[in-house]
Amino acid sequence: MQDEDGAVPEIARRLRDAFRLPCVAALQEGRDLSSQRHRRAMRGWWEHVDFLRGVEETAYRELTAPDAWLPCSDTRPALRALLRARGLRIGLVSDFAWDLRVHLAHAGLEDLIDGFVISYEQGREKADPQLFLKACAGLGADPRATLMVGDNPVRDGAATACGLRAYILPAEQRTGDRGLAEVLRLVLTHHPRGSSSGA
């Protein structure tokens, strides 16, 4: 979709400017530890953005709607290939402030994930190693034989501190392929058939 009048960049600029305010930045600390903290953090951000002021609750409902978060186009093929080719167990470790299973169900992906460790349910955020260890335990996987795939060198890369290997994708993009073909190449080339997992 073309943005002929420049509205999207302007909206993004206003959101970024508000996010940089010290009072807003302070609210973001630990926001994924609970649904309440996340709602408070987002409202505290949006009330500094003129086009969101007064409609914060509506915006939050839109943010958390089942169809608000969509997988990248290579997610389903990658998960299916891992399950079909190697029968690997797959876990998801995420900093999220509500049950992201609703988004996976909407996208038809929930049956491709064997275990979930979500920050708001644990009262911990990445890079806490306990999250990665809990995911491995839930999958019956040895951390030393488990690959963590993420996009944040600090938060996701911390999995290496408790024995996992980590593959860090380039900076986040919202559409198109995510680069998971490289993960498939790595896993399917070097991993023997078995029960280890990617988290």
Side-chain angles (χ1 to χ4, degrees), residues 102-165:
V102 300
H103 307 299
L104 294 170
H106 179 80
L109 296 176
E110 73 277 23
D111 292 337
L112 300 177
I113 308 293
D114 299 296
F116 297 85
V117 176
I118 309 174
S119 60
Y120 90 104
E121 294 178 337
Q122 306 299 320
R124 300 171 183 264
E125 289 179 311
K126 296 184 286 188
D128 188 323
Q130 292 305 312
L131 295 175
F132 305 112
L133 291 174
K134 185 175 180 65
C136 290
L139 296 170
D142 181 349
R144 295 167 298 176
T146 301
L147 177 67
M148 169 67 195
V149 178
D151 60 11
N152 187 302
V154 175
R155 290 178 175 267
D156 298 322
T160 61
C162 47
L164 290 81
R165 287 161 175 79

CSV table of all heavy atoms in Angstrom, one decimal, residues 102-165:
chain,number,residue,atom,x,y,z
A,102,VAL,N,-3.7,-17.0,21.4
A,102,VAL,CA,-4.9,-16.6,20.6
A,102,VAL,C,-4.4,-16.2,19.2
A,102,VAL,O,-5.2,-16.4,18.3
A,102,VAL,CB,-5.7,-15.5,21.3
A,102,VAL,CG1,-6.2,-16.0,22.7
A,102,VAL,CG2,-4.8,-14.2,21.5
A,103,HIS,N,-3.3,-15.6,19.1
A,103,HIS,CA,-2.8,-15.2,17.8
A,103,HIS,C,-2.3,-16.4,17.0
A,103,HIS,O,-2.5,-16.4,15.8
A,103,HIS,CB,-1.6,-14.2,18.0
A,103,HIS,CG,-2.0,-13.0,18.9
A,103,HIS,ND1,-3.0,-12.1,18.6
A,103,HIS,CD2,-1.5,-12.6,20.0
A,103,HIS,CE1,-3.1,-11.2,19.5
A,103,HIS,NE2,-2.2,-11.5,20.4
A,104,LEU,N,-1.7,-17.3,17.7
A,104,LEU,CA,-1.2,-18.5,17.0
A,104,LEU,C,-2.4,-19.3,16.5
A,104,LEU,O,-2.4,-19.9,15.4
A,104,LEU,CB,-0.4,-19.4,17.9
A,104,LEU,CG,1.0,-18.7,18.2
A,104,LEU,CD1,1.7,-19.5,19.3
A,104,LEU,CD2,1.9,-18.6,17.0
A,105,ALA,N,-3.5,-19.4,17.3
A,105,ALA,CA,-4.7,-20.1,16.9
A,105,ALA,C,-5.3,-19.5,15.7
A,105,ALA,O,-5.8,-20.1,14.8
A,105,ALA,CB,-5.7,-20.2,18.1
A,106,HIS,N,-5.4,-18.1,15.8
A,106,HIS,CA,-6.0,-17.4,14.6
A,106,HIS,C,-5.2,-17.7,13.3
A,106,HIS,O,-5.8,-17.8,12.3
A,106,HIS,CB,-6.0,-15.9,14.9
A,106,HIS,CG,-6.5,-15.1,13.8
A,106,HIS,ND1,-7.9,-14.9,13.6
A,106,HIS,CD2,-5.9,-14.4,12.8
A,106,HIS,CE1,-8.1,-14.2,12.6
A,106,HIS,NE2,-6.9,-13.8,12.1
A,107,ALA,N,-3.9,-17.9,13.4
A,107,ALA,CA,-3.1,-18.1,12.3
A,107,ALA,C,-3.0,-19.6,11.9
A,107,ALA,O,-2.3,-20.0,11.0
A,107,ALA,CB,-1.7,-17.5,12.5
A,108,GLY,N,-3.6,-20.5,12.7
A,108,GLY,CA,-3.5,-21.9,12.5
A,108,GLY,C,-2.2,-22.5,12.8
A,108,GLY,O,-1.8,-23.5,12.2
A,109,LEU,N,-1.4,-21.9,13.8
A,109,LEU,CA,-0.1,-22.4,14.1
A,109,LEU,C,0.0,-23.1,15.5
A,109,LEU,O,1.0,-23.7,15.8
A,109,LEU,CB,0.9,-21.2,14.1
A,109,LEU,CG,1.1,-20.5,12.8
A,109,LEU,CD1,2.0,-19.4,13.0
A,109,LEU,CD2,1.7,-21.5,11.7
A,110,GLU,N,-1.1,-23.1,16.2
A,110,GLU,CA,-0.9,-23.5,17.6
A,110,GLU,C,-0.5,-25.0,17.7
A,110,GLU,O,0.2,-25.4,18.7
A,110,GLU,CB,-2.2,-23.3,18.4
A,110,GLU,CG,-3.4,-24.2,18.1
A,110,GLU,CD,-4.2,-23.8,16.9
A,110,GLU,OE1,-3.7,-23.0,16.0
A,110,GLU,OE2,-5.4,-24.2,16.8
A,111,ASP,N,-0.9,-25.8,16.8
A,111,ASP,CA,-0.6,-27.2,16.8
A,111,ASP,C,0.8,-27.5,16.4
A,111,ASP,O,1.3,-28.7,16.5
A,111,ASP,CB,-1.5,-28.0,15.9
A,111,ASP,CG,-3.0,-28.0,16.4
A,111,ASP,OD1,-3.1,-27.8,17.6
A,111,ASP,OD2,-3.9,-28.2,15.6
A,112,LEU,N,1.6,-26.5,16.0
A,112,LEU,CA,3.0,-26.7,15.5
A,112,LEU,C,4.0,-26.4,16.7
A,112,LEU,O,5.2,-26.5,16.5
A,112,LEU,CB,3.3,-25.8,14.3
A,112,LEU,CG,2.4,-26.1,13.1
A,112,LEU,CD1,2.8,-25.2,12.0
A,112,LEU,CD2,2.6,-27.6,12.6
A,113,ILE,N,3.4,-25.9,17.8
A,113,ILE,CA,4.3,-25.5,18.9
A,113,ILE,C,4.0,-26.5,20.1
A,113,ILE,O,2.8,-26.7,20.5
A,113,ILE,CB,4.0,-24.1,19.4
A,113,ILE,CG1,4.1,-23.1,18.2
A,113,ILE,CG2,5.0,-23.7,20.5
A,113,ILE,CD1,5.4,-22.9,17.6
A,114,ASP,N,5.0,-27.1,20.7
A,114,ASP,CA,4.8,-28.1,21.7
A,114,ASP,C,4.8,-27.5,23.1
A,114,ASP,O,4.3,-28.1,24.0
A,114,ASP,CB,5.9,-29.1,21.6
A,114,ASP,CG,5.9,-29.9,20.3
A,114,ASP,OD1,5.0,-30.6,20.0
A,114,ASP,OD2,6.9,-29.7,19.5
A,115,GLY,N,5.4,-26.3,23.3
A,115,GLY,CA,5.5,-25.8,24.6
A,115,GLY,C,5.6,-24.3,24.6
A,115,GLY,O,6.1,-23.7,23.6
A,116,PHE,N,5.1,-23.6,25.6
A,116,PHE,CA,5.1,-22.1,25.7
A,116,PHE,C,5.6,-21.7,27.0
A,116,PHE,O,5.2,-22.2,28.1
A,116,PHE,CB,3.7,-21.6,25.6
A,116,PHE,CG,3.0,-21.9,24.2
A,116,PHE,CD1,2.3,-23.1,24.0
A,116,PHE,CD2,3.1,-21.0,23.2
A,116,PHE,CE1,1.7,-23.4,22.8
A,116,PHE,CE2,2.5,-21.2,22.0
A,116,PHE,CZ,1.8,-22.4,21.8
A,117,VAL,N,6.5,-20.7,27.0
A,117,VAL,CA,7.0,-20.1,28.2
A,117,VAL,C,6.9,-18.6,27.9
A,117,VAL,O,7.6,-18.0,27.1
A,117,VAL,CB,8.5,-20.4,28.6
A,117,VAL,CG1,8.9,-19.6,29.8
A,117,VAL,CG2,8.6,-21.9,28.8
A,118,ILE,N,5.9,-18.0,28.6
A,118,ILE,CA,5.5,-16.6,28.3
A,118,ILE,C,5.7,-15.7,29.5
A,118,ILE,O,5.3,-16.1,30.6
A,118,ILE,CB,4.0,-16.5,27.8
A,118,ILE,CG1,3.8,-17.5,26.7
A,118,ILE,CG2,3.7,-15.1,27.3
A,118,ILE,CD1,2.3,-17.6,26.2
A,119,SER,N,6.4,-14.6,29.3
A,119,SER,CA,6.8,-13.8,30.4
A,119,SER,C,5.7,-13.5,31.4
A,119,SER,O,5.9,-13.6,32.7
A,119,SER,CB,7.5,-12.5,29.9
A,119,SER,OG,6.6,-11.7,29.2
A,120,TYR,N,4.6,-13.1,31.0
A,120,TYR,CA,3.5,-12.6,31.9
A,120,TYR,C,3.0,-13.8,32.8
A,120,TYR,O,2.6,-13.6,33.9
A,120,TYR,CB,2.4,-12.0,31.2
A,120,TYR,CG,1.2,-12.9,30.8
A,120,TYR,CD1,0.0,-13.0,31.5
A,120,TYR,CD2,1.4,-13.8,29.7
A,120,TYR,CE1,-1.0,-13.8,31.1
A,120,TYR,CE2,0.4,-14.6,29.3
A,120,TYR,CZ,-0.8,-14.6,30.0
A,120,TYR,OH,-1.8,-15.5,29.6
A,121,GLU,N,3.2,-15.0,32.3
A,121,GLU,CA,2.8,-16.2,33.1
A,121,GLU,C,3.8,-16.6,34.1
A,121,GLU,O,3.6,-17.3,35.1
A,121,GLU,CB,2.5,-17.4,32.2
A,121,GLU,CG,1.3,-17.2,31.3
A,121,GLU,CD,1.0,-18.4,30.3
A,121,GLU,OE1,2.0,-19.1,30.0
A,121,GLU,OE2,-0.1,-18.5,29.9
A,122,GLN,N,5.1,-16.2,33.8
A,122,GLN,CA,6.2,-16.6,34.7
A,122,GLN,C,6.7,-15.5,35.6
A,122,GLN,O,7.4,-15.8,36.6
A,122,GLN,CB,7.4,-17.0,33.8
A,122,GLN,CG,7.1,-18.1,32.7
A,122,GLN,CD,6.6,-19.4,33.4
A,122,GLN,OE1,7.1,-19.8,34.4
A,122,GLN,NE2,5.6,-20.0,32.7
A,123,GLY,N,6.3,-14.3,35.4
A,123,GLY,CA,6.8,-13.2,36.2
A,123,GLY,C,8.2,-12.9,36.0
A,123,GLY,O,8.9,-12.4,36.8
A,124,ARG,N,8.7,-13.3,34.8
A,124,ARG,CA,10.1,-13.1,34.4
A,124,ARG,C,10.2,-12.7,32.9
A,124,ARG,O,9.3,-13.1,32.2
A,124,ARG,CB,10.9,-14.4,34.6
A,124,ARG,CG,11.0,-15.0,36.0
A,124,ARG,CD,11.7,-16.3,35.9
A,124,ARG,NE,11.7,-17.0,37.2
A,124,ARG,CZ,12.7,-17.0,38.0
A,124,ARG,NH1,13.8,-16.3,37.7
A,124,ARG,NH2,12.7,-17.6,39.2
A,125,GLU,N,11.2,-11.9,32.6
A,125,GLU,CA,11.4,-11.6,31.2
A,125,GLU,C,12.8,-12.1,30.7
A,125,GLU,O,13.7,-12.3,31.5
A,125,GLU,CB,11.4,-10.0,31.0
A,125,GLU,CG,10.0,-9.4,31.2
A,125,GLU,CD,10.1,-7.9,31.1
A,125,GLU,OE1,11.0,-7.3,31.7
A,125,GLU,OE2,9.3,-7.3,30.3
A,126,LYS,N,12.9,-12.3,29.4
A,126,LYS,CA,14.2,-12.5,28.9
A,126,LYS,C,15.1,-11.3,29.2
A,126,LYS,O,14.5,-10.2,29.2
A,126,LYS,CB,14.2,-12.8,27.4
A,126,LYS,CG,13.4,-14.0,27.0
A,126,LYS,CD,13.4,-14.3,25.5
A,126,LYS,CE,12.5,-13.4,24.8
A,126,LYS,NZ,12.3,-13.8,23.3
A,127,ALA,N,16.3,-11.4,29.6
A,127,ALA,CA,17.2,-12.5,29.4
A,127,ALA,C,17.3,-13.4,30.6
A,127,ALA,O,18.4,-14.0,30.8
A,127,ALA,CB,18.6,-11.9,29.0
A,128,ASP,N,16.3,-13.6,31.4
A,128,ASP,CA,16.4,-14.4,32.6
A,128,ASP,C,16.6,-15.9,32.1
A,128,ASP,O,15.8,-16.4,31.4
A,128,ASP,CB,15.1,-14.3,33.4
A,128,ASP,CG,15.2,-15.1,34.7
A,128,ASP,OD1,15.8,-16.1,34.8
A,128,ASP,OD2,14.6,-14.6,35.7
A,129,PRO,N,17.7,-16.5,32.5
A,129,PRO,CA,18.0,-17.9,32.0
A,129,PRO,C,16.9,-18.9,32.4
A,129,PRO,O,16.8,-19.9,31.8
A,129,PRO,CB,19.4,-18.2,32.6
A,129,PRO,CG,19.5,-17.3,33.8
A,129,PRO,CD,18.8,-16.0,33.4
A,130,GLN,N,16.2,-18.6,33.5
A,130,GLN,CA,15.2,-19.6,33.9
A,130,GLN,C,14.1,-19.8,32.9
A,130,GLN,O,13.5,-20.9,32.8
A,130,GLN,CB,14.6,-19.1,35.3
A,130,GLN,CG,15.5,-19.1,36.4
A,130,GLN,CD,16.1,-20.5,36.6
A,130,GLN,OE1,15.4,-21.5,36.6
A,130,GLN,NE2,17.5,-20.6,36.8
A,131,LEU,N,13.8,-18.8,32.1
A,131,LEU,CA,12.8,-19.0,31.0
A,131,LEU,C,13.3,-20.0,30.0
A,131,LEU,O,12.5,-20.9,29.6
A,131,LEU,CB,12.6,-17.7,30.3
A,131,LEU,CG,11.9,-16.6,31.2
A,131,LEU,CD1,11.8,-15.3,30.4
A,131,LEU,CD2,10.6,-17.0,31.7
A,132,PHE,N,14.5,-20.0,29.6
A,132,PHE,CA,15.1,-20.9,28.6
A,132,PHE,C,15.2,-22.3,29.2
A,132,PHE,O,14.8,-23.3,28.5
A,132,PHE,CB,16.4,-20.4,28.1
A,132,PHE,CG,16.4,-19.0,27.6
A,132,PHE,CD1,17.1,-18.0,28.2
A,132,PHE,CD2,15.7,-18.7,26.4
A,132,PHE,CE1,17.1,-16.7,27.7
A,132,PHE,CE2,15.7,-17.4,25.9
A,132,PHE,CZ,16.4,-16.4,26.6
A,133,LEU,N,15.6,-22.4,30.4
A,133,LEU,CA,15.7,-23.7,31.1
A,133,LEU,C,14.3,-24.3,31.3
A,133,LEU,O,14.1,-25.5,31.1
A,133,LEU,CB,16.4,-23.5,32.4
A,133,LEU,CG,17.9,-23.2,32.3
A,133,LEU,CD1,18.5,-22.9,33.7
A,133,LEU,CD2,18.7,-24.3,31.6
A,134,LYS,N,13.3,-23.5,31.6
A,134,LYS,CA,12.0,-24.0,31.8
A,134,LYS,C,11.4,-24.5,30.5
A,134,LYS,O,10.8,-25.6,30.4
A,134,LYS,CB,11.0,-22.9,32.3
A,134,LYS,CG,9.6,-23.4,32.7
A,134,LYS,CD,8.8,-22.3,33.3
A,134,LYS,CE,7.4,-22.8,33.6
A,134,LYS,NZ,7.4,-23.9,34.6
A,135,ALA,N,11.7,-23.8,29.4
A,135,ALA,CA,11.2,-24.3,28.1
A,135,ALA,C,11.9,-25.6,27.7
A,135,ALA,O,11.2,-26.5,27.2
A,135,ALA,CB,11.6,-23.2,27.0
A,136,CYS,N,13.2,-25.8,28.0
A,136,CYS,CA,13.8,-27.0,27.7
A,136,CYS,C,13.3,-28.2,28.5
A,136,CYS,O,13.0,-29.3,28.0
A,136,CYS,CB,15.3,-26.9,27.9
A,136,CYS,SG,16.2,-25.9,26.7
A,137,ALA,N,13.0,-27.9,29.8
A,137,ALA,CA,12.5,-28.9,30.7
A,137,ALA,C,11.1,-29.3,30.2
A,137,ALA,O,10.8,-30.5,30.2
A,137,ALA,CB,12.4,-28.4,32.1
A,138,GLY,N,10.3,-28.4,29.8
A,138,GLY,CA,9.0,-28.7,29.3
A,138,GLY,C,9.0,-29.6,28.1
A,138,GLY,O,8.0,-30.3,27.8
A,139,LEU,N,10.0,-29.4,27.3
A,139,LEU,CA,10.1,-30.2,26.0
A,139,LEU,C,10.9,-31.5,26.2
A,139,LEU,O,11.0,-32.3,25.3
A,139,LEU,CB,10.8,-29.3,25.0
A,139,LEU,CG,10.1,-28.1,24.5
A,139,LEU,CD1,11.0,-27.2,23.6
A,139,LEU,CD2,8.8,-28.4,23.8
A,140,GLY,N,11.4,-31.7,27.4
A,140,GLY,CA,12.3,-32.8,27.6
A,140,GLY,C,13.6,-32.8,26.8
A,140,GLY,O,14.1,-33.8,26.4
A,141,ALA,N,14.1,-31.5,26.7
A,141,ALA,CA,15.3,-31.3,25.8
A,141,ALA,C,16.5,-30.9,26.6
A,141,ALA,O,16.4,-30.2,27.6
A,141,ALA,CB,15.0,-30.2,24.8
A,142,ASP,N,17.6,-31.4,26.3
A,142,ASP,CA,18.9,-31.1,26.9
A,142,ASP,C,19.2,-29.7,26.4
A,142,ASP,O,19.3,-29.4,25.1
A,142,ASP,CB,20.0,-32.0,26.4
A,142,ASP,CG,21.3,-31.7,27.0
A,142,ASP,OD1,21.5,-30.6,27.6
A,142,ASP,OD2,22.2,-32.6,26.9
A,143,PRO,N,19.4,-28.7,27.2
A,143,PRO,CA,19.8,-27.3,26.8
A,143,PRO,C,21.0,-27.3,25.8
A,143,PRO,O,21.0,-26.5,24.9
A,143,PRO,CB,20.1,-26.6,28.1
A,143,PRO,CG,19.3,-27.3,29.1
A,143,PRO,CD,19.3,-28.7,28.7
A,144,ARG,N,21.9,-28.2,26.1
A,144,ARG,CA,23.1,-28.2,25.2
A,144,ARG,C,22.9,-28.8,23.8
A,144,ARG,O,23.7,-28.6,22.9
A,144,ARG,CB,24.2,-29.1,25.9
A,144,ARG,CG,24.7,-28.5,27.2
A,144,ARG,CD,25.5,-29.5,28.0
A,144,ARG,NE,24.7,-30.7,28.3
A,144,ARG,CZ,25.2,-31.7,28.9
A,144,ARG,NH1,26.5,-31.8,29.3
A,144,ARG,NH2,24.4,-32.7,29.2
A,145,ALA,N,21.7,-29.3,23.6
A,145,ALA,CA,21.3,-29.8,22.3
A,145,ALA,C,20.1,-29.0,21.7
A,145,ALA,O,19.4,-29.5,20.9
A,145,ALA,CB,21.0,-31.3,22.3
A,146,THR,N,19.9,-27.8,22.2
A,146,THR,CA,18.8,-27.0,21.9
A,146,THR,C,19.2,-25.7,21.2
A,146,THR,O,20.2,-25.1,21.7
A,146,THR,CB,17.9,-26.7,23.1
A,146,THR,OG1,17.5,-27.9,23.7
A,146,THR,CG2,16.7,-25.9,22.8
A,147,LEU,N,18.5,-25.3,20.2
A,147,LEU,CA,18.8,-24.1,19.5
A,147,LEU,C,17.7,-23.1,19.8
A,147,LEU,O,16.6,-23.3,19.6
A,147,LEU,CB,18.8,-24.3,18.0
A,147,LEU,CG,19.1,-23.1,17.1
A,147,LEU,CD1,20.5,-22.6,17.3
A,147,LEU,CD2,18.8,-23.5,15.6
A,148,MET,N,18.2,-21.9,20.2
A,148,MET,CA,17.3,-20.7,20.5
A,148,MET,C,17.4,-19.8,19.2
A,148,MET,O,18.5,-19.4,18.9
A,148,MET,CB,17.8,-20.0,21.7
A,148,MET,CG,17.1,-18.6,21.9
A,148,MET,SD,15.3,-18.8,22.3
A,148,MET,CE,14.8,-17.1,21.9
A,149,VAL,N,16.3,-19.6,18.6
A,149,VAL,CA,16.2,-18.7,17.5
A,149,VAL,C,15.5,-17.4,17.9
A,149,VAL,O,14.4,-17.5,18.4
A,149,VAL,CB,15.5,-19.3,16.3
A,149,VAL,CG1,15.4,-18.3,15.1
A,149,VAL,CG2,16.2,-20.6,15.8
A,150,GLY,N,16.2,-16.3,17.8
A,150,GLY,CA,15.6,-15.0,18.2
A,150,GLY,C,16.1,-13.9,17.3
A,150,GLY,O,16.8,-14.1,16.4
A,151,ASP,N,15.7,-12.7,17.8
A,151,ASP,CA,16.1,-11.5,17.0
A,151,ASP,C,16.7,-10.4,17.9
A,151,ASP,O,16.9,-9.3,17.4
A,151,ASP,CB,15.0,-10.9,16.1
A,151,ASP,CG,13.8,-10.5,17.0
A,151,ASP,OD1,13.9,-10.4,18.2
A,151,ASP,OD2,12.7,-10.2,16.4
A,152,ASN,N,16.9,-10.7,19.1
A,152,ASN,CA,17.5,-9.8,20.0
A,152,ASN,C,18.8,-10.3,20.6
A,152,ASN,O,18.8,-11.3,21.4
A,152,ASN,CB,16.5,-9.4,21.2
A,152,ASN,CG,17.0,-8.3,22.0
A,152,ASN,OD1,18.1,-8.3,22.6
A,152,ASN,ND2,16.2,-7.2,22.1
A,153,PRO,N,20.0,-9.8,20.3
A,153,PRO,CA,21.2,-10.4,20.7
A,153,PRO,C,21.4,-10.4,22.2
A,153,PRO,O,22.0,-11.3,22.8
A,153,PRO,CB,22.3,-9.4,20.1
A,153,PRO,CG,21.6,-8.7,19.0
A,153,PRO,CD,20.2,-8.6,19.4
A,154,VAL,N,20.8,-9.5,22.9
A,154,VAL,CA,20.9,-9.4,24.4
A,154,VAL,C,19.9,-10.4,25.0
A,154,VAL,O,20.3,-11.3,25.8
A,154,VAL,CB,20.7,-8.0,24.9
A,154,VAL,CG1,20.7,-8.0,26.4
A,154,VAL,CG2,21.8,-7.1,24.4
A,155,ARG,N,18.6,-10.2,24.7
A,155,ARG,CA,17.6,-11.0,25.4
A,155,ARG,C,17.6,-12.4,24.9
A,155,ARG,O,17.5,-13.3,25.8
A,155,ARG,CB,16.2,-10.3,25.2
A,155,ARG,CG,16.0,-9.0,25.9
A,155,ARG,CD,14.7,-8.4,25.6
A,155,ARG,NE,14.4,-7.2,26.4
A,155,ARG,CZ,13.8,-7.2,27.6
A,155,ARG,NH1,13.4,-8.3,28.1
A,155,ARG,NH2,13.7,-6.1,28.2
A,156,ASP,N,17.7,-12.7,23.6
A,156,ASP,CA,17.6,-14.0,23.1
A,156,ASP,C,19.0,-14.7,23.2
A,156,ASP,O,19.1,-15.9,23.5
A,156,ASP,CB,17.1,-14.0,21.7
A,156,ASP,CG,15.7,-13.5,21.6
A,156,ASP,OD1,14.9,-13.8,22.5
A,156,ASP,OD2,15.4,-12.8,20.6
A,157,GLY,N,20.0,-13.9,23.0
A,157,GLY,CA,21.4,-14.4,23.1
A,157,GLY,C,21.8,-14.9,24.4
A,157,GLY,O,22.7,-15.7,24.6
A,158,ALA,N,21.0,-14.4,25.4
A,158,ALA,CA,21.3,-14.9,26.8
A,158,ALA,C,21.1,-16.4,27.0
A,158,ALA,O,21.5,-16.9,28.0
A,158,ALA,CB,20.5,-14.1,27.8
A,159,ALA,N,20.4,-17.0,26.1
A,159,ALA,CA,20.2,-18.4,26.2
A,159,ALA,C,21.5,-19.2,26.3
A,159,ALA,O,21.6,-20.3,26.8
A,159,ALA,CB,19.3,-18.9,25.0
A,160,THR,N,22.5,-18.6,25.7
A,160,THR,CA,23.8,-19.3,25.7
A,160,THR,C,24.4,-19.4,27.1
A,160,THR,O,25.2,-20.3,27.4
A,160,THR,CB,24.8,-18.5,24.8
A,160,THR,OG1,25.0,-17.2,25.3
A,160,THR,CG2,24.3,-18.5,23.3
A,161,ALA,N,24.0,-18.5,28.0
A,161,ALA,CA,24.5,-18.6,29.4
A,161,ALA,C,24.0,-19.8,30.1
A,161,ALA,O,24.7,-20.2,31.1
A,161,ALA,CB,24.0,-17.3,30.2
A,162,CYS,N,23.0,-20.5,29.6
A,162,CYS,CA,22.5,-21.7,30.3
A,162,CYS,C,22.7,-22.9,29.4
A,162,CYS,O,22.0,-23.9,29.5
A,162,CYS,CB,21.1,-21.6,30.8
A,162,CYS,SG,19.9,-20.9,29.8
A,163,GLY,N,23.6,-22.8,28.4
A,163,GLY,CA,24.0,-24.0,27.6
A,163,GLY,C,23.4,-24.1,26.2
A,163,GLY,O,23.8,-24.9,25.4
A,164,LEU,N,22.3,-23.3,25.9
A,164,LEU,CA,21.8,-23.4,24.6
A,164,LEU,C,22.7,-22.8,23.5
A,164,LEU,O,23.5,-21.9,23.9
A,164,LEU,CB,20.4,-22.7,24.5
A,164,LEU,CG,19.2,-23.4,25.3
A,164,LEU,CD1,19.3,-23.0,26.7
A,164,LEU,CD2,17.9,-22.9,24.7
A,165,ARG,N,22.5,-23.1,22.3
A,165,ARG,CA,23.1,-22.4,21.2
A,165,ARG,C,22.0,-21.4,20.7
A,165,ARG,O,20.8,-21.6,20.9
A,165,ARG,CB,23.5,-23.3,20.1
A,165,ARG,CG,24.7,-24.1,20.4
A,165,ARG,CD,24.9,-25.4,19.6
A,165,ARG,NE,26.1,-26.1,19.9
A,165,ARG,CZ,26.3,-26.9,20.9
A,165,ARG,NH1,25.3,-27.0,21.8
A,165,ARG,NH2,27.4,-27.5,21.1
